[in-house]
Amino acid sequence: MSQGCPYRTAAEIDLMDPVVQENWFEAYDVLRAESPVYFMPQLGMYVLTRYEDIEYVLRRPKLFSGGPDIQDVEPLVKFPEARALYDRKGWTRYTPLSENLPMHRHYRGLVDPKLSAAEIRRREPFVRGVINELIDTWIDEGEIEFMKAFAEPLPMIVIAELLGFPRMDLPQLKVWSAAWVLPFSRGLTLAQELDAVQKHIELQHYIFEAMQHKRKQPSDDILSHLLQVEMEDVKTGERRKLTDTEIIGITDHLLIGGNETTAFAIANGLWLLFRHPEMEAALRTDPARIKNFVEETLRIESPTQGLFRYVSEDTELAGVHLPKGAMLSIRYGAGNHDPARFPDPNQPDLARKNAGRHLAFGLGERVCPGATLSRLEQNWAWEILLQRIAKFHPVPQKDTYEHIKGMWMRALGQIHLRFEAA
């Protein structure tokens, strides 16, 4: 716990409080010390902050489910008027890659081969080319807003290419992507939910039109793959094609997951270098340390701070009774700062032996399908940035380093970089 922590007891902490969201880790320390499985009445959920408890939950997907059944208890889009828009204008908001077992395994079996390490490395020349193209556009300027100039466009260009979307559509895809994520911040007004849902429906129609084109002219991309593959129907045992709703749900999930969190992670990496400038020198001296730098960034500044789980039957965790139907807020960011698993957790350590054992991408059956893609993108990005830029400088007069508010993400609003070209 940092000196001068404003919280003394768990009862003083509300994860919906913007002050808590700006610096999660002091609150996590108090919760972990007092009650690592803590029922937070403001949320109506049990908050998990200890690594071993989070790992226990993630390794038991049947006991702690995370799929669409959560919508019955804690709908992502709360207002009936907003939910009704999907029925009138679009398709059901459905994320097959978040399904429960056994369906989850079937859906992941369709997607995972297209996001394997071998498949991503096959695309390495393309990804490196994009990194260099982006740097070429601003290398002579001496100063940029790093989020807009590099961290955001890189993963969006890459995932759009993998899915099969034209690069010319990226600005609009970014708008739709932000709208898709917005309901996760919770507490939206009716007007905000209606706007977010309307934009998501626009994205659904965009994907559907792309599907129509790919059916006639398939190519080497994930969307064409989803249109062609068959999966086993768990109810009938027969092979079948994916429905339009399933394809749209998988595609928009991959689009958002493939760009938002990676963009936040890259920007968080720069912020970590600003706070620990000795690491920049170490990385330049020994580029082999970039791999651990990426893992430590993901651990310390996890873009996804937490997600839901739903208790499928009465059980007990860390001596706390969890009734069937209870909701859990599993705090990846807290587990990644658990000193029992990561000694001196707030300090980045380029020699940390278990750096890659963090929870930033989850664990077990539901580990993020884009984890390998994100890791490789970040590694290649920092390798090339360190080659082409001689020195990174913060621009404190332009940045407050404040984070976008919300319960689930850790993302800087902006971060400026002044640099000297190599």
Side-chain angles (χ1 to χ4, degrees):
M1 196 185 313
S2 68
Q3 194 171 18
C5 174
Y7 319 107
R8 294 187 298 265
T9 67
E12 298 176 12
I13 297 169
D14 177 3
L15 296 190
M16 292 298 290
D17 184 346
V19 175
V20 174
Q21 293 171 1
E22 187 56 43
N23 185 5
W24 293 106
F25 309 112
E26 293 177 335
Y28 290 157
D29 287 346
V30 172
L31 290 169
R32 192 186 307 108
E34 181 181 326
S35 180
V37 180
Y38 175 71
F39 183 76
M40 188 166 286
Q42 303 96 322
L43 299 178
M45 301 181 204
Y46 292 84
V47 179
L48 276 58
T49 50
R50 193 164 58 181
Y51 187 105
E52 66 176 286
D53 298 328
I54 296 170
E55 182 179 31
Y56 181 90
V57 168
L58 295 178
R59 298 290 189 192
R60 290 161 178 80
K62 290 184 179 179
L63 181 57
F64 303 99
S65 64
D69 56 2
I70 282 180
Q71 296 295 323
D72 299 331
V73 181
E74 185 69 19
L76 190 61
V77 178
K78 286 189 173 294
F79 291 100
E81 301 94 323
R83 293 200 298 272
L85 285 179
Y86 286 113
D87 296 328
R88 296 206 323 267
K89 298 183 176 182
W91 289 260
T92 302
R93 182 174 181 131
Y94 178 46
T95 51
L97 296 179
S98 295
E99 260 285 9
N100 286 310
L101 296 172
M103 289 297 295
H104 178 263
R105 199 167 290 148
H106 290 280
Y107 288 123
R108 285 294 296 266
L110 303 178
V111 170
D112 286 354
K114 306 299 287 186
L115 293 169
S116 67
E119 185 69 17
I120 303 307
R121 289 191 181 280
R122 184 171 72 85
R123 308 269 189 168
E124 181 176 352
F126 166 75
V127 179
R128 287 182 175 274
V130 172
I131 294 167
N132 278 300
E133 284 176 28
L134 288 170
I135 296 174
D136 286 343
T137 63
W138 45 256
I139 191 66
D140 296 324
E141 295 179 14
E143 182 180 319
I144 54 170
E145 199 285 286
F146 186 73
M147 186 75 81
K148 291 289 187 293
F150 187 79
E152 284 185 350
L154 170 60
M156 178 59 91
I157 292 170
V158 172
I159 193 60
E161 170 75 12
L162 293 179
L163 288 170
F165 297 144
R167 192 181 294 195
M168 62 183 283
D169 295 339
L170 292 181
Q172 186 59 60
L173 287 170
K174 184 62 186 173
V175 172
W176 289 330
S177 177
W180 192 95
V181 171
L182 191 61
F184 285 91
S185 63
R186 301 284 164 170
L188 300 184
T189 65
L190 173 59
Q192 288 173 320
E193 275 200 0
L194 288 170
D195 183 62
V197 169
Q198 181 58 48
K199 286 186 170 65
H200 181 212
I201 291 171
E202 291 172 8
L203 172 59
Q204 289 180 326
H205 281 277
Y206 174 88
I207 295 170
F208 182 72
E209 290 174 10
M211 289 162 56
Q212 303 300 84
H213 173 72
K214 298 290 182 183
R215 282 189 170 108
K216 297 175 183 176
Q217 299 180 32
S219 53
D220 182 20
D221 55 58
I222 294 174
L223 187 53
S224 297
H225 168 73
L226 293 174
L227 288 163
Q228 296 168 28
V229 294
E230 293 183 346
M231 65 176 286
E232 181 183 340
D233 191 307
V234 295
K235 294 180 180 178
T236 66
E238 298 178 354
R239 304 289 296 177
R240 66 169 178 84
K241 295 268 192 180
L242 295 173
T243 66
D244 290 348
T245 299
E246 287 171 323
I247 294 173
I248 290 170
I250 292 172
T251 303
D252 70 19
H253 192 167
L254 291 176
L255 174 69
I256 280 74
N259 80 82
E260 293 285 347
T261 53
T262 301
F264 300 155
I266 293 171
N268 289 343
L270 181 63
W271 190 41
L272 201 63
L273 288 177
F274 285 169
R275 286 145 56 199
H276 300 275
E278 73 282 356
M279 283 202 304
E280 181 183 337
L283 295 176
R284 293 185 185 281
T285 301
D286 184 5
R289 293 184 172 191
I290 292 173
K291 183 174 183 288
N292 251 32
F293 166 68
V294 167
E295 300 299 343
E296 283 289 79
T297 298
L298 288 164
R299 183 186 66 79
I300 293 172
E301 296 291 337
S302 304
T304 303
Q305 283 292 298
L307 287 175
F308 290 115
R309 284 298 182 270
Y310 174 57
V311 181
S312 301
E313 59 185 72
D314 287 1
T315 189
E316 187 174 289
L317 181 62
V320 177
H321 174 69
L322 300 177
K324 178 180 178 179
M327 294 291 297
L328 309 181
S329 175
I330 48 173
R331 307 307 296 179
Y332 297 148
N336 287 339
H337 281 251
D338 186 345
R341 186 57 59 106
F342 302 104
D344 198 6
N346 298 322
Q347 181 67 29
D349 181 357
L350 296 179
R352 193 182 294 274
K353 292 183 179 179
N354 66 340
R357 297 293 297 171
H358 57 73
L359 301 165
F361 296 117
L363 287 174
E365 292 268 359
R366 295 180 178 281
V367 67
C368 174
T372 298
L373 172 61
S374 181
R375 280 182 159 115
L376 289 174
E377 277 186 85
Q378 292 178 66
N379 272 273
W380 295 333
W382 286 113
E383 178 188 328
I384 294 172
L385 284 166
L386 287 161
Q387 288 171 355
R388 299 197 60 185
I389 295 176
K391 181 65 180 173
F392 301 136
H393 301 281
V395 191
Q397 63 271 32
K398 291 187 178 180
D399 286 323
T400 61
Y401 304 112
E402 290 183 3
H403 292 81
I404 298 169
K405 298 303 179 283
M407 262 196 65
W408 309 108
M409 308 303 291
R410 184 157 175 85
L412 291 166
Q414 63 178 28
I415 181 168
H416 287 79
L417 167 67
R418 186 175 295 138
F419 59 89
E420 300 159 21

